Amino acid sequence: MGSDIYFGYFTFLSNATMAVAALGPPGSEFKNNVVDASDLGVSGYLGFVTLQPQFIENYNNMLAMGGFSGQASTTYFSENASSQYLNLSPQRILPESFFQSGTDNNEFITGYVVYQERLMVFKDKSIYEFIGDDPKSISQRLVSKDYGCVSNKAVVTFLSRCMFLDEKGICEYNGVNVDIVSDRVESTFKRMNLSAAKQEADAVHLKDRNEVWFLIPVDGSTKNNAVIVYDYLIDGWSTYDGFEASKMIVGKQQLAKEDVIWGGYSGRVFAFGESLTSDNGATINCSYKTKYHKRLGESTEEMWRRFYLNNSIA
C-alpha cells in the first residue's frame, strides 16, 4: 500500500449493496462508486485489505466497526464527520485509527452500544468502554472481566440504565458497576441454549409498559421460544412462552399505539397487545367480577400491572 493512500470507507445501502469511496492524498478528489457486495464477497473495504465488520455503531459522529474476521478484539474508528472533511458519509478511516480490547482473553467482540456518552464494547465475558470524539483522543477503560454480552442484539439502554444478556443471565450497568439482576428468574437462564442464544437472542425496551423484554431459546431449542420480561416500575420479573420469535421491535404501523412487533421463523409478522375488542362472534359462556381493591371503591380506578388467571376445562 502506498503511503499516500489512506483508507477506503463505506456505508451499507442494503444487505447486498454498499457504497465504496476511494480516498487518495489529502485534497484529492473523492471518487464514489456503488458496487454489489456479493460480487466482492465482503461487507466493507479498508484500503487494499478486505475486511468484514459484523458490528457498526455511530458514536460521536464517528463510525465504530468491529467483529472482523481474524481481528476478534479490534475496533476501527472513522474520522469525526464534523472535523476536517465536513459532513462526509460514510466516514474516512485512517490506518492507525484502531484499538485492541483485551487481546489476552481469547474472546470475540460481540457488539457495541452507545451509553451515557461512551461506547460500550462487549465481548464474550468482558466489557470495555471508549470515551472521546476523535480517534486521536479516544481513551479506553476496562469495565468488567466477570460479565459480557452474548449478542449485539441482546442489549438495551433506557433511562440511565444499560441491560444486556450475559451467559449467566441479565446484567445491568449503571455507569459504575456491573451486576446480575435476574436472580429471581435464574431457573429460566439455566435452561438457556447458550450456543443458539449467541445467534438468536434479542432484546427490546417497551417504554409505554415500563418493561424490557429479552427473547432467548430454552430447553435445547435452536429458536427463541421464551421471553423474560422485566417491569422496572415495580421491579418485577415474569416470563412468557408458547411462541417462537426471531426478532422484536417496538413499532406502531396500523396499531392504535406502539407495541411489540415480532417476526416469526415462518416469515410472518405479529403484534402483541389487545388483539380483540369484542367477542368476535363467539358465545361468552362465563364471566367473573372481582371485588374492589381500593378503600374508596368505585370512586377510584387503577390499572393492573399483572393479572394471572389459572383455569381448567372439565
Side-chain angles (χ1 to χ4, degrees):
M1 184 188 303
S3 59
D4 59 346
I5 299 295
Y6 283 68
F7 261 35
Y9 54 97
F10 61 93
T11 189
F12 293 101
L13 302 180
S14 69
N15 288 336
T17 305
M18 62 182 179
V20 176
L23 174 62
S28 64
E29 179 183 0
F30 290 92
K31 299 178 180 179
N32 295 277
N33 300 283
V34 176
V35 299
D36 189 342
S38 60
D39 293 338
L40 297 177
V42 299
S43 300
Y45 178 83
L46 301 176
F48 293 123
V49 181
T50 56
L51 299 172
Q52 183 175 355
Q54 297 183 56
F55 316 111
I56 299 178
E57 186 72 27
N58 184 357
Y59 171 63
N60 282 351
N61 292 320
M62 299 175 289
L63 289 181
M65 292 158 284
F68 296 101
S69 177
Q71 298 189 29
S73 302
T74 304
T75 299
Y76 283 92
F77 282 94
S78 74
E79 294 292 277
N80 192 308
S82 60
S83 60
Q84 180 180 359
Y85 298 93
L86 297 177
N87 300 319
L88 290 178
S89 180
Q91 325 289 357
R92 184 177 70 151
I93 305 168
L94 299 180
E96 66 270 18
S97 297
F98 69 92
F99 296 82
Q100 303 284 341
S101 302
T103 56
D104 59 338
N105 56 24
N106 198 30
E107 297 175 18
F108 294 85
I109 290 176
T110 57
Y112 302 109
V113 70
V114 176
Y115 169 67
Q116 292 187 350
E117 304 300 323
R118 64 193 81 185
L119 178 69
M120 307 299 301
V121 181
F122 294 102
K123 302 186 77 175
D124 301 86
K125 298 177 182 179
S126 59
I127 307 170
Y128 300 80
E129 65 181 16
F130 291 110
I131 299 176
D133 55 12
D134 184 271
K136 298 179 180 63
S137 61
I138 285 177
S139 61
Q140 181 178 195
R141 185 180 78 90
L142 172 66
V143 174
S144 174
K145 279 193 172 183
D146 298 317
Y147 303 107
C149 187
V150 303
S151 167
N152 69 306
K153 299 183 296 181
V155 54
V156 292
T157 59
F158 61 100
L159 303 178
S160 59
R161 306 164 74 172
C162 177
M163 297 185 76
F164 52 92
L165 180 62
D166 177 72
E167 294 182 0
K168 299 177 287 295
I170 296 173
C171 291
E172 180 178 331
Y173 177 52
N174 59 10
V176 180
N177 301 311
V178 180
D179 294 296
I180 286 278
V181 294
S182 57
D183 295 340
R184 282 171 281 173
V185 286
E186 182 181 1
S187 58
T188 300
F189 290 105
K190 288 182 177 179
R191 298 159 48 205
M192 183 171 66
N193 182 345
L194 180 57
S195 60
K198 292 181 178 180
Q199 300 295 324
E200 301 294 332
D202 196 17
V204 67
H205 173 220
L206 189 53
K207 184 177 180 180
D208 282 352
R209 295 190 184 183
N210 303 297
E211 294 174 348
V212 178
W213 292 23
F214 282 85
L215 194 62
I216 64 172
V218 298
D219 299 331
S221 174
T222 58
K223 300 177 180 179
N224 293 322
N225 58 350
V227 179
I228 295 88
V229 177
Y230 174 58
D231 186 327
Y232 53 84
L233 188 65
I234 62 172
D235 189 30
W237 294 85
S238 58
T239 60
Y240 298 148
D241 56 19
F243 65 96
E244 295 181 340
S246 62
K247 177 64 180 175
M248 299 184 297
I249 64 169
V250 175
K252 186 174 182 296
Q253 295 288 47
Q254 74 273 21
L255 303 175
K257 62 179 181 179
E258 284 191 339
D259 213 323
V260 176
I261 298 175
W262 59 277
Y265 288 93
S266 65
R268 301 182 66 184
V269 178
F270 306 85
F272 283 102
E274 301 83 356
S275 59
L276 297 178
T277 57
S278 68
D279 58 12
N280 201 30
T283 301
I284 298 176
N285 52 29
C286 68
S287 65
Y288 179 78
K289 185 175 182 179
T290 69
K291 67 177 182 179
Y292 285 100
H293 292 273
K294 299 297 293 184
R295 289 179 303 160
L296 301 179
E298 296 184 26
S299 64
T300 301
E301 292 185 358
E302 288 194 354
M303 181 183 296
W304 286 94
R305 292 297 301 159
R306 289 282 188 273
F307 177 74
Y308 293 99
L309 177 63
N310 294 322
N311 65 349
S312 61
I313 300 176

